[in-house]
Amino acid sequence: MAIHERGLVEQERIIKKDRIVIDGVDASGDWNLIILPRVIDDYDLDFAKDIINHPQGKTINQCYQCSYCTASCPVHNYWDEKYNPRHFIYLARLGMLDELQKRADVIWRCVSCHKCTHRCPKGVLVEEVLKVIVNQMSKRGLIEEYPSKKFDKFFTESVIEYGRIEDGELLFGWMEKQGFNVMKDPILKKPIPFAGGLPDWLKSLAIKPLKGMNIDFLILNAKHMLIHPRTQNWNRFKQVLERVINEEGIMTH
């Protein structure tokens, strides 16, 4: 097991003694770590078949578990070591749904940087395979709808309506969906920036770049906050987009 994957083993299965002697040889230090065995008898191989049959999941069987994907993953290395692309693929191929479900709180955290895919020596489209795994878990009710998926839907709904997004409306609308108290004007019901119960970190994050903007650009953004701009002739494209979304089931999974 690679040293950066020790977090995959449950703590209760790891034994480390202060001193251990084997056949008269003192094996204390890093060699005295013992991992207890376990028996696995609950698995569903149909899960792997569903992934392989999906257009984005076809490369999953090319994986030979070298772990280059995990070693290069910024989420694993800088955020949470429980996010492990190699291990997710391993569990999915074996149909170990219980083990995947134990990682339901982190499995959706891919940031789509594609480092895993670019560094895979076997040509596995890692990021795409992981998305299929998450979607299949969602379809089977094994994982709750993850936050990034909720944002995708919110973003897509705005695009469908107007053909483009308005940054301020998107930001404050999303904060409102997260439960923050966003104040709105009484007439147009548009969010009033930085008013209400927004967290201080968000106010600081948004105010900093505003200080460097010229007055014309600020006025333009304020105007767009009040009257959301719409792409010219958008209704014609909107019908096509909605038909594709419905056919592909993009908004449901």
Side-chain angles (χ1 to χ4, degrees):
M1 173 179 291
I3 190 64
H4 63 272
E5 294 190 329
R6 179 173 165 174
L8 297 176
V9 182
E10 297 86 349
Q11 285 301 312
E12 59 269 22
R13 293 176 54 228
I14 298 178
I15 297 176
K16 188 173 184 179
K17 296 183 177 297
D18 294 334
R19 185 167 183 268
I20 184 170
V21 177
I22 302 175
D23 292 337
V25 178
D26 189 339
S28 304
D30 290 339
W31 296 101
N32 66 352
L33 190 70
I34 300 173
I35 299 177
L36 299 177
R38 59 176 175 172
V39 176
I40 299 170
D41 55 10
D42 54 334
Y43 47 84
D44 181 0
L45 296 181
D46 287 339
F47 185 75
K49 292 178 182 175
D50 290 342
I51 294 172
I52 294 170
N53 290 332
H54 194 284
Q56 292 180 298
K58 290 186 180 299
T59 59
I60 187 172
N61 277 345
Q62 295 171 208
C63 175
Y64 66 165
Q65 295 289 297
C66 69
S67 197
Y68 269 5
C69 54
T70 300
S72 61
C73 175
V75 177
H76 173 85
N77 291 308
Y78 302 113
W79 188 2
D80 192 334
E81 67 174 14
K82 291 191 299 182
Y83 185 84
N84 190 317
R86 179 204 66 78
H87 195 55
F88 297 153
I89 290 175
Y90 171 77
L91 295 175
R93 289 175 63 181
L94 294 180
M96 297 171 64
L97 302 184
D98 285 349
E99 293 296 320
L100 280 173
Q101 205 168 11
K102 289 178 183 176
R103 292 149 181 85
D105 60 332
V106 299
I107 198 169
W108 49 267
R109 286 182 174 172
C110 173
V111 294
S112 298
C113 69
H114 293 278
K115 278 189 174 180
C116 53
T117 296
H118 287 303
R119 295 188 177 179
C120 177
K122 292 289 289 182
V124 180
L125 303 178
V126 182
E127 190 241 351
E128 293 186 5
V129 169
L130 293 177
K131 285 184 176 177
V132 177
I133 292 174
V134 173
N135 287 337
Q136 290 296 326
M137 291 180 67
S138 177
K139 288 175 68 175
R140 293 172 181 237
L142 301 175
I143 184 174
E144 293 183 3
E145 191 174 50
Y146 42 104
S148 60
K149 189 72 175 180
K150 293 178 182 176
F151 180 80
D152 289 346
K153 287 185 177 180
F154 181 62
F155 183 97
T156 305
E157 288 168 356
S158 183
V159 173
I160 292 174
E161 181 63 28
Y162 300 102
R164 56 186 292 181
I165 61 165
E166 196 290 306
D167 295 340
E169 190 172 301
L170 185 75
L171 172 62
F172 293 108
W174 177 244
M175 295 306 296
E176 185 177 26
K177 282 186 174 295
Q178 298 306 298
F180 292 102
N181 178 27
V182 176
M183 290 187 65
K184 295 182 178 180
D185 71 88
I187 300 175
L188 298 176
K189 305 298 182 185
K190 295 289 185 178
I192 302 174
F194 314 116
L198 296 178
D200 291 336
W201 65 263
L202 176 60
K203 294 178 181 177
S204 301
L205 186 69
I207 288 175
K208 191 173 181 179
L210 286 178
K211 291 179 179 177
M213 295 181 184
N214 63 50
I215 188 65
D216 290 339
F217 190 72
L218 287 172
I219 292 174
L220 178 64
N221 277 272
K223 176 184 173 184
H224 287 174
M225 280 281 288
L226 294 173
I227 305 173
H228 196 131
R230 182 186 292 269
T231 298
Q232 191 174 12
N233 297 322
W234 176 243
N235 282 335
R236 295 171 57 191
F237 294 100
K238 178 180 176 180
Q239 295 175 7
V240 177
L241 181 61
E242 286 182 321
R243 187 168 69 241
V244 172
I245 287 175
N246 290 332
E247 290 176 354
E248 297 291 331
I250 293 172
M251 297 292 276
T252 54
H253 296 293

